[in-house]
């Protein structure tokens, strides 16, 4: 799976000159999670990430190119205990997976991609209310005052996401990137749109849509992204 590799490279290039903190994953660091989303009242929250008109970006990238060699959490900008007001927010996840063999077993690849998308929206850290807008690639987070008091930070929340992803056997390594620096979040917005169009096209292809490029609304994406056309039309390059 190399369809997202150019966007991974672009995203990492945008970030390469900025300061960051990094922590390797340790399961025992994972913040406790709930079975379902909780509602946190505004009066119980200390601030919102990606809310009140602040920019917000969320996207997930999949690769088999050896770009993520460890389970790790990166943070660009202020961490949760340092934040005093609503701020910009991005959560980017890069998943290094085993070969999904999407060119030979589309059913299996389709199921794996669905499972990965499921995890993207189904991690519920306690005291960390996530509201997502899949259509606009945005994610808002409301953080409960009590969670802050108990020591929540992005490395613990990131570890909770990694723990959930690691339940999928196809996933080898996970990098979770949190960003609260507004300038960086703004720079990554266009990448989110590109990721979304690739994922939608890929899902349609794996779902078995007809191979008629002349009448296909996905053509602009396939013309731009190396490997999609080959995948759909049967050449083994993706
Ligand atoms: S290969 Fe052609 S038919 Fe298939 S999704 Fe791309 S443009 Fe559409």
């Amino acid at each position: 799976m190399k369809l997202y590799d150019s966007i991974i490279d672009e995203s990492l290039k945008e970030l390469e000159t900025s300061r960051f903190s990094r922590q390797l994953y340790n399961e025992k660091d994972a913040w406790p999670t709930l079975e379902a989303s909780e509602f946190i009242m505004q009066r119980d929250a200390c601030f919102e990430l990606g809310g009140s008109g602040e920019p917000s970006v969320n996207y997930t990238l999949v690769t088999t190119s050896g770009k993520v060699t460890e389970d790790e959490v990166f943070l660009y900008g202020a961490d949760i205990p340092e934040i005093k007001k609503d701020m910009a927010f991005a959560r980017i996840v890069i998943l290094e997976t085993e070969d999904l063999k999407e060119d030979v077993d589309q059913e299996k690849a389709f199921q794996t991609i669905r499972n990965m998308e499921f995890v993207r929206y189904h991690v519920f850290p306690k005291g960390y209310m996530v509201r997502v807008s899949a259509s606009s690639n945005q994610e808002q987070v409301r953080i409960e005052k009590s969670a802050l008091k108990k020591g929540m930070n992005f490395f613990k929340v990131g570890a909770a996401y990694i723990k959930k992803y690691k339940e999928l056997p196809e996933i080898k390594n996970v990098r979770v990137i949190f960003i609260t620096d507004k300038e960086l979040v703004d720079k990554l917005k266009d990448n989110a749109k590109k990721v979304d169009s690739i994922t939608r096209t890929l899902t349609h292809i794996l779902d078995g849509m007809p191979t008629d490029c002349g009448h296909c609304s996905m053509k602009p994406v396939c013309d731009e992204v190396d490997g999609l056309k080959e995948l759909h039309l049967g050449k083994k390059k993706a």
Side-chain angles (χ1 to χ4, degrees), residues 59-60 91 93-95 115-121 123 158-176:
Y59 56 89
T60 300
R91 176 171 64 94
V93 175
I94 308 176
L95 302 170
N115 290 344
M116 292 189 288
E117 277 293 296
F118 184 84
V119 174
R120 176 179 175 186
Y121 298 117
V123 178
Y161 276 96
I162 294 175
K163 185 176 173 190
K164 190 77 179 170
Y165 273 116
K166 301 284 284 182
E167 290 173 9
L168 300 178
E170 297 84 2
I171 291 189
K172 287 158 76 173
N173 297 304
V174 183
R175 179 183 298 182
V176 178

Side-chain angles (χ1 to χ4, degrees), residues 94-148:
I94 308 176
L95 302 170
E96 183 81 37
T97 70
E98 64 179 40
D99 187 354
L100 299 182
K101 297 193 170 44
E102 61 274 15
D103 47 353
V104 290
D105 189 350
Q106 297 204 337
E107 187 55 42
K108 183 170 181 283
F110 187 45
Q111 193 53 46
T112 306
I113 285 164
R114 283 174 65 117
N115 290 344
M116 292 189 288
E117 277 293 296
F118 184 84
V119 174
R120 176 179 175 186
Y121 298 117
H122 291 83
V123 178
F124 307 110
K126 194 166 168 19
Y128 183 98
M129 183 180 84
V130 180
R131 283 174 298 169
V132 288
S133 163
S135 57
S136 58
N137 306 303
Q138 293 187 346
E139 174 168 286
Q140 272 107 39
V141 177
R142 186 176 282 181
I143 295 185
E144 202 167 34
K145 289 173 189 158
S146 62
L148 188 63

Side-chain angles (χ1 to χ4, degrees), residues 201 205 209-213 216 218-219 222 228-229 232-233:
T201 306
I205 289 174
M209 73 182 227
T211 49
D212 180 2
C213 301
C216 180
M218 311 287 172
K219 193 166 181 305
C222 284
L228 275 172
K229 223 174 244 177
H232 202 190
L233 306 182

